[in-house]
């Protein structure tokens, strides 16, 4: 039986490594986003600075794992065997939960997750002990540190509100003073800003990065036996003032004589500071539980007492973690930072929510986000407190400069400028430092995210075109934070219960399931990433002439035709086999295609703005292309939806003759689509003429199928649902063909001006077509 605890220690060590990997992937957003989003320094430099910060933070980490030892529960109330079960349940839950959020690309708090996992497992074990002893369930409070749990919950609420509000205020004041032309301001202005920001960040390094370490209280004795920790706490004002003067002078010298950009310096130092604090203090979230388990095992193994009788009072004492383990943990964190793709995926979520202007919106609006935006608009209109002259001067400070870019090259502009990046790092550092000095529980993830959102709002990055999406994104992320606490508590408690009753067999099964889920998420994420890369995604037109649009749009049309062919064939085959999963996938693929076409339509404003005076005709051509592509997507969407609905409702299967006729039609369409795709791939637009000469064959075939079904309906058909489905597919297939043929005629007309298209669309942006009466 004793061997099971040794195996548990080995399993916990492996889980600790996995937890480091998934934890860094999630928490990397805390210290990378400001530097990456502003593009102030190269990505390689950002990674090097962050890596150095993580390495130093890990090596000088406190190792005082109070949260895992006694912060949430009273260890003296539990026996060794019970503590090991709690730790195993916590680690399994933590890895699965963090990996789940990473896969979604949602930042969450590793601190909150570990706290509520410990709380959930400890509560479950307490209830099991009380139930076994026949006690009163109100005795749970004797096992749990209830005040700590309440502090964490209040910390979540306060960090969300205060970080957002203070970030918004500081950014508004900074922009008012510096404007967007901050680099043209007098040298002393930048030096003053540098002094404030760098002194705040330095204080943050001292308070959060060094004060919490073991070295601050055990080594480097100062004057009169005072430790570094006591010195920092007792001389706050002096430290801040000296830092401000020193950094202001240094910033002025660097900007005046060395031409160093002080804003880049702030971003570099700030990134290092947050990385240092992350590794130095959040390391407990990843290895605190396994370390506590290992030290518990060491104490029990030499005691000679049975595991079920050995009290865990030892966890109440402070035991430093070996430096070697901290060093190894730091190296794993650095390697993960460089290699993890999920870390960049999570970072993209926050950067896009904070981005100035238009971006590909990840979150869809909801009732709450729309209500908040409407209320904000009403309040802004009602605000007439400032005189108009003052309001105009304030607005002038927030006017963004127009950046003239060469049309010959493609640029990816920064998500925000260096002032906002510096404010993000400065405010986050100050808030975390204050919370640390007052011993308030605070999540670095919550603070850095909400500061970034507050500065975005104050900087007017959320305009009328994007506000509803950005607010929805913030609500989703914040909701996910509270979901983290609830899920962590419930799942950890459930796993503890299973382990408590199932013992070794239950642990083996749970570990196997955890490995399977992690492997599944990894494979699924890689597969999704490869599909995104391999998929023929649609590209926005950038040319300013008809010939250029013809060339650029050819790739988009080829992609749409290829994907349409694949989806249509899969839908017909799945309908024949009644394969609900494949029909659902077809619906998702059509939805993605429709979304990409909508993005092209949304970009039409910028396309027309980019046109030369002599190339206005290109806009007509491009508008018509988008209109026909929309027709194709709408028809395809309708076909997949009604097919999925029919099978999902368990209606009768289509008859053999109906399926046979649909396959005949599918084969003819496949030939049309293949010829069309080849013509656009090779830019052999004269081949389109050959395709168009046979268009009547396709339309006649559909008409013939309709007549046959009419006859069957009158004589042998017994299912109204089948008749509705079959007619709807035929009629919508006809519309699909019309959209394709119209597109071909448009291109053929531009290729050969002697041939006119059958019709040109008069209105491209219209409401979706009315569907057949049969579907109403």
């Amino acid at each position: 039986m004793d061997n099971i605890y040794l195996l548990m220690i080995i399993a916990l060590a492996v889980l600790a490594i996995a937890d480091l990997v998934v934890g860094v992937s999630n928490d990397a957003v805390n210290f990378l986003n400001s530097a990456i989003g502003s593009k102030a320094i190269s990505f390689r430099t950002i990674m090097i600075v962050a890596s150095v910060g993580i390495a130093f933070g890990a090596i000088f980490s406190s190792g005082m794992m109070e949260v895992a030892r006694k912060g949430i529960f009273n260890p003296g109330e539990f026996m060794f065997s019970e503590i090991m079960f709690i730790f195993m349940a916590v680690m399994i839950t933590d890895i699965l939960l963090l990996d789940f959020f990473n896969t979604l690309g949602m930042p969450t708090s590793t601190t909150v997750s570990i706290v509520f996992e410990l709380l959930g497992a400890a509560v479950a074990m307490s209830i099991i002990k009380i139930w076994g002893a026949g006690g009163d369930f109100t005795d749970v409070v004797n096992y749990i540190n209830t005040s700590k749990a309440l502090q964490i919950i209040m910390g979540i609420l306060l960090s969300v509100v205060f970080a957002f509000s203070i970030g918004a205020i500081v950014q508004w004041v900074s922009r008012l003073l510096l404007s967007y032309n901050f680099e043209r301001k007098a040298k002393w202005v930048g030096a003053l800003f540098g002094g404030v920001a760098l002194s705040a960040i330095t204080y943050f390094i001292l308070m959060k990065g060094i004060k919490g370490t073991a070295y601050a209280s055990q080594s480097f004795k100062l004057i009169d036996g005072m430790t570094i920790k006591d010195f920092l706490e007792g001389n706050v004002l002096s430290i801040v003032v000296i830092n401000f003067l020193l950094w202001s002078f240094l910033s002025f010298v660097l900007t005046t004589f060395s031409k160093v950009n002080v804003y880049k310096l702030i971003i570099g130092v700030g990134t290092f500071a947050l990385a240092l604090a992350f590794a130095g203090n959040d390391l407990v979230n990843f290895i605190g539980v396994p370390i506590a388990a290992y030290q518990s095992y060491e104490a029990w193994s030499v005691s000679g007492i049975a595991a079920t009788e050995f009290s865990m009072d030892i966890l109440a004492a402070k035991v430093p973690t070996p430096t070697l383990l901290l060093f190894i943990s730091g190296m794993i964190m650095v390697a993960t930072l460089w290699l993890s793709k999920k870390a960049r995926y999570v970072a993209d979520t926050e950067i896009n929510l904070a981005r100035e202007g238009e971006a590909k919106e990840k979150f869809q609006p909801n009732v709450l986000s729309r209500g908040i935006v409407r209320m904000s608009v009403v309040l802004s209109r009602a605000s007439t407190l400032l005189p108009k002259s003052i309001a105009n001067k304030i607005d002038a400070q927030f006017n963004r400069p127009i950046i003239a870019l060469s049309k010959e090259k493609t640029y990816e502009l920064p998500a925000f400028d260096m002032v906002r990046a510096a404010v993000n790092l400065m405010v986050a550092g100050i808030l975390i430092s204050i919370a640390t000095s007052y011993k308030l529980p605070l999540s670095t993830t919550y603070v850095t995210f909400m500061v970034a959102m507050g500065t975005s709002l104050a900087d007017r990055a959320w305009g009328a075109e994007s506000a509803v999406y950005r607010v929805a994104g913030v609500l989703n992320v914040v909701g996910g934070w509270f979901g983290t606490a609830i899920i962590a508590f419930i799942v950890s408690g459930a796993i503890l219960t299973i382990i408590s009753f199932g013992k070794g067999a239950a642990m083996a099964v749970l570990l196997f399931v955890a490995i399977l889920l992690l492997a599944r998420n990894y494979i699924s994420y890689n597969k999704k990433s490869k599909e995104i890369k391999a998929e023929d995604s649609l590209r926005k037109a950038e040319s300013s002439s008809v010939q250029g649009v013809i060339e650029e749009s050819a790739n988009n049309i080829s992609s749409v035709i290829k994907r349409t062919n694949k989806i249509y064939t899969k839908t017909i085959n799945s309908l024949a086999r009644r394969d609900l999963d494949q029909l659902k996938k077809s619906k998702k693929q059509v939805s993605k295609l429709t979304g990409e076409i909508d993005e092209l339509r949304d970009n039409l404003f910028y396309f027309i703005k980019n046109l030369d005076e002599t190339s206005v005709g290109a806009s007509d051509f491009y508008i018509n292309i988008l209109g026909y592509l929309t027709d194709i997507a709408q028809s395809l969407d309708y076909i997949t939806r009604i097919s999925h609905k029919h099978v999902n409702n368990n209606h009768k299967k289509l008859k053999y003759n109906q399926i046979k006729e649909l396959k005949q039609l599918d084969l003819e369409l496949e030939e049309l689509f293949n010829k069309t795709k080849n013509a656009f791939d090779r830019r052999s637009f004269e081949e389109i003429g050959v395709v168009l000469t046979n268009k009547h064959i396709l339309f006649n075939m559909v008409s013939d199928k309709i007549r046959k079904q009419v006859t069957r309906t009158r004589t042998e058909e017994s299912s109204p649902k089948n008749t509705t489905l079959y007619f709807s597919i035929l009629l919508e297939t006809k519309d699909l063909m019309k959209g394709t043929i119209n597109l071909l005629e448009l291109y053929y007309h531009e290729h050969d001006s002697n041939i006119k298209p059958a019709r040109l669309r008069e209105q491209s942006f219209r409401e979706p077509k009315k569907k057949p009466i049969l579907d109403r």
Side-chain angles (χ1 to χ4, degrees):
M1 182 65 181
D2 292 352
N3 291 333
I4 189 174
Y5 297 111
L6 179 60
L7 293 174
M8 288 174 70
I9 293 297
I10 296 171
L12 284 170
V14 175
L15 291 173
I17 295 172
D19 206 29
L20 278 169
V21 172
V22 296
V24 172
S25 297
N26 193 282
D27 276 4
V29 298
N30 298 338
F31 49 86
L32 292 180
N33 280 357
S34 293
I36 293 175
S38 65
K39 295 186 181 294
I41 48 183
S42 69
F43 182 77
R44 181 182 176 84
T45 304
I46 294 168
M47 296 294 282
I48 292 172
V49 169
S51 298
V52 173
I54 287 176
F56 274 97
I59 293 171
F60 293 107
S61 178
S62 66
M64 304 297 182
M65 309 298 183
E66 281 84 2
V67 171
R69 297 174 187 280
K70 59 187 177 66
I72 301 302
F73 54 82
N74 301 317
E77 299 292 334
F78 297 96
M79 300 299 116
F80 171 69
S81 59
E82 296 164 346
I83 283 289
M84 291 298 289
F85 291 163
I86 288 174
F87 289 159
M88 182 63 75
V90 166
M91 289 303 293
I92 292 174
T93 306
D94 198 54
I95 290 172
L96 294 178
L97 187 62
L98 292 181
D99 188 66
F100 172 71
F101 275 92
N102 290 346
T103 303
L104 292 179
M106 299 273 282
T108 191
S109 171
T110 54
T111 302
V112 169
S113 64
I114 199 74
V115 164
F116 278 89
E117 285 153 7
L118 283 166
L119 183 62
V123 167
M125 180 56 75
S126 303
I127 292 173
I128 291 172
K129 283 172 67 71
I130 293 169
W131 177 66
D136 191 342
F137 287 111
T138 57
D139 293 339
V140 169
V141 295
N142 297 327
Y143 296 85
I144 307 301
N145 190 344
T146 53
S147 61
K148 187 70 173 181
L150 291 174
Q151 276 187 330
I152 292 292
I153 294 171
M154 289 305 298
I156 295 173
L157 295 172
L158 291 175
S159 65
V160 168
V161 175
F162 278 95
F164 184 86
S165 303
I166 295 173
I169 293 169
V170 174
Q171 177 61 36
W172 189 84
V173 173
S174 300
R175 185 65 70 194
L176 190 63
L177 296 175
L178 297 172
S179 78
Y180 276 93
N181 296 313
F182 55 92
E183 291 180 318
R184 299 180 184 176
K185 296 286 183 180
K187 301 292 184 185
W188 66 268
V189 175
L192 195 64
F193 182 81
V196 172
L198 289 169
S199 59
I201 293 170
T202 304
Y203 180 70
F204 168 66
I205 292 174
L206 295 173
M207 294 300 295
K208 184 69 175 172
I210 295 177
K211 197 196 81 170
T213 67
Y215 298 96
S217 57
Q218 296 181 9
S219 304
F220 306 112
K221 299 289 183 178
L222 299 176
I223 302 172
D224 297 327
M226 185 182 294
T227 63
I228 291 178
K229 182 178 178 181
D230 295 334
F231 179 79
L232 291 175
E233 290 179 342
N235 298 276
V236 173
L237 184 60
S238 301
I239 292 171
V240 171
V241 171
I242 292 171
N243 265 290
F244 171 71
L245 295 174
L246 178 64
W247 282 116
S248 296
F249 175 74
L250 188 59
S251 298
F252 183 78
V253 171
L254 290 174
T255 53
T256 304
F257 301 103
S258 301
K259 305 299 181 183
V260 172
N261 190 319
V262 69
Y263 300 97
K264 291 185 179 182
L265 179 63
I266 295 169
I267 293 167
V269 175
T271 300
F272 170 83
L274 282 178
L276 174 76
F278 157 72
N281 294 271
D282 288 0
L283 194 59
V284 61
N285 302 335
F286 314 127
I287 67 169
V289 168
I291 291 296
Y294 173 69
Q295 291 170 342
S296 301
Y297 176 79
E298 277 189 320
W300 167 76
S301 61
V302 298
S303 68
I305 303 174
T308 55
E309 298 176 3
F310 184 67
S311 176
M312 295 310 301
D313 287 316
I314 185 175
L315 290 182
K318 292 185 176 182
V319 183
T321 304
T323 304
L324 179 61
L325 290 178
L326 296 175
F327 174 76
I328 294 172
S329 301
M331 292 305 100
I332 294 172
M333 294 165 80
V334 170
T336 302
L337 185 66
W338 282 89
L339 300 175
S340 175
K341 294 179 181 177
K342 285 187 179 181
R344 300 175 194 181
Y345 182 49
V346 177
D348 286 343
T349 299
E350 183 178 320
I351 290 173
N352 283 331
L353 286 175
R355 185 179 295 275
E356 292 176 1
E358 299 301 308
K360 185 176 181 180
E361 305 296 348
K362 180 178 179 179
F363 300 95
Q364 293 303 312
N366 51 51
V367 175
L368 191 55
S369 69
R370 293 189 184 100
I372 291 172
V373 171
R374 287 195 188 103
M375 184 175 65
S376 301
V377 171
V378 171
L379 290 175
S380 65
R381 289 174 180 170
S383 178
T384 55
L385 298 176
L386 293 175
K388 190 173 181 180
S389 59
I390 296 177
N392 289 338
K393 288 181 180 179
I394 292 174
D395 289 339
Q397 294 296 90
F398 285 82
N399 288 336
R400 298 185 184 89
I402 298 173
I403 303 174
L405 300 177
S406 170
K407 297 180 181 180
E408 307 298 324
K409 299 173 69 176
T410 302
Y411 295 87
E412 184 181 353
L413 294 174
F416 40 81
D417 69 352
M418 289 186 282
V419 169
R420 179 132 61 99
V423 170
N424 285 344
L425 293 165
M426 174 177 65
V427 174
I430 291 173
L431 291 178
I432 296 170
S433 301
I434 293 172
T436 300
S437 62
Y438 286 99
K439 296 180 174 61
L440 297 174
L442 205 65
S443 165
T444 54
T445 299
Y446 294 175
V447 170
T448 53
F449 180 84
M450 292 311 297
V451 166
M453 296 304 101
T455 58
S456 303
L457 178 65
D459 218 19
R460 303 183 183 181
W462 298 353
E465 307 292 333
S466 60
V468 70
Y469 302 98
R470 307 292 172 84
V471 173
V474 173
L475 293 174
N476 273 277
V477 173
V478 173
W481 294 345
F482 289 96
T484 299
I486 296 169
I487 295 170
F489 182 88
I490 294 172
V491 174
S492 184
I495 291 178
L496 182 281
T497 305
I498 295 171
I499 291 175
S500 181
F501 289 104
K503 302 295 191 296
M507 279 186 284
V509 171
L510 286 169
L511 285 171
F512 181 70
V513 170
I515 292 170
L516 283 181
L517 289 173
L518 288 173
R520 177 178 173 272
N521 286 346
Y522 178 78
I523 293 170
S524 175
Y525 179 80
N526 281 348
K527 184 179 178 182
K528 183 179 178 182
S529 300
K530 289 178 181 177
E531 284 176 355
I532 292 172
K533 288 181 181 178
E535 195 173 62
D536 304 311
S537 299
L538 307 186
R539 297 183 179 181
K540 298 171 183 176
E542 297 176 352
S543 296
S544 57
S545 65
V546 175
Q547 192 59 40
V549 174
I550 288 176
E551 182 67 25
E552 288 182 349
S553 298
N555 291 327
N556 284 343
I557 293 170
S558 175
S559 172
V560 171
I561 295 299
K562 175 186 173 182
R563 290 161 70 178
T564 299
N565 185 16
K566 184 178 178 181
I567 294 169
Y568 186 88
T569 299
K570 185 188 290 185
T571 301
I572 300 301
N573 291 339
S574 302
L575 183 61
R577 296 193 304 267
R578 298 180 67 81
D579 189 337
L580 192 61
D581 289 337
Q582 288 299 321
L583 287 171
K584 186 181 292 186
K585 287 180 181 178
S586 295
K587 279 182 62 180
K588 289 182 179 178
Q589 289 170 350
V590 175
S591 178
K592 189 173 187 307
L593 177 62
T594 302
E596 290 181 27
I597 294 173
D598 286 344
E599 283 184 31
L600 297 182
R601 291 161 67 96
D602 291 341
N603 189 59
L604 189 59
F605 170 83
Y606 304 101
F607 168 74
I608 295 175
K609 282 280 189 181
N610 189 48
L611 289 175
D612 298 329
E613 290 293 333
T614 57
S615 304
V616 179
S619 62
D620 294 335
F621 179 68
Y622 189 57
I623 288 171
N624 281 301
I625 288 175
L626 294 181
Y628 293 134
L629 291 179
T630 302
D631 279 352
I632 292 171
Q634 285 178 352
S635 298
L636 198 59
D637 175 65
Y638 182 71
I639 291 169
T640 56
R641 278 193 298 105
I642 60 171
S643 299
H644 178 270
K645 177 182 174 183
H646 186 87
V647 176
N648 196 34
N649 290 338
N650 294 309
H651 295 317
K652 286 184 179 180
K653 185 178 181 179
L654 290 179
K655 292 187 175 181
Y656 173 78
N657 285 336
Q658 292 173 322
I659 293 173
K660 180 181 176 182
E661 290 170 4
L662 286 177
K663 281 303 298 178
Q664 290 172 351
L665 195 57
D666 176 40
L667 291 174
E668 290 295 328
L669 272 177
E670 186 173 5
E671 185 178 355
L672 168 68
F673 290 145
N674 285 336
K675 287 181 178 178
T676 301
K677 181 182 179 302
N678 291 335
F680 281 97
D681 283 343
R682 296 197 296 261
R683 306 297 193 267
S684 301
F685 300 124
E686 62 275 2
E687 294 180 19
I688 294 176
V690 179
V691 177
L692 291 174
T693 55
N694 297 321
K695 64 180 181 180
H696 63 280
I697 297 175
L698 285 169
F699 289 114
N700 290 339
M701 178 180 284
V702 175
S703 300
D704 181 57
K705 307 295 183 194
I706 292 174
R707 284 193 296 270
K708 286 183 178 179
Q709 181 58 28
V710 169
T711 303
R712 279 196 295 263
T713 302
R714 292 176 59 84
T715 56
E716 59 187 69
E717 185 64 70
S718 60
S719 172
K721 297 295 183 184
N722 273 18
T723 301
T724 300
L725 174 66
Y726 189 69
F727 275 129
S728 297
I729 291 176
L730 290 178
L731 292 172
E732 207 59 37
T733 300
K734 192 173 184 179
D735 276 353
L736 175 64
M737 289 158 45
K738 284 179 181 177
T740 306
I741 295 299
N742 287 335
L743 187 62
L744 294 176
E745 287 180 337
L746 177 67
Y747 253 85
Y748 194 52
H749 169 74
E750 292 297 337
H751 175 68
D752 186 350
S753 58
N754 294 322
I755 300 177
K756 294 183 179 179
R759 67 177 177 85
L760 283 177
R761 177 184 309 276
E762 293 180 357
Q763 291 182 336
S764 175
F765 294 97
R766 65 170 193 268
E767 294 297 319
K769 297 174 294 189
K770 291 183 179 179
K771 297 304 172 187
I773 191 71
L774 294 166
D775 189 55
R776 295 181 190 174

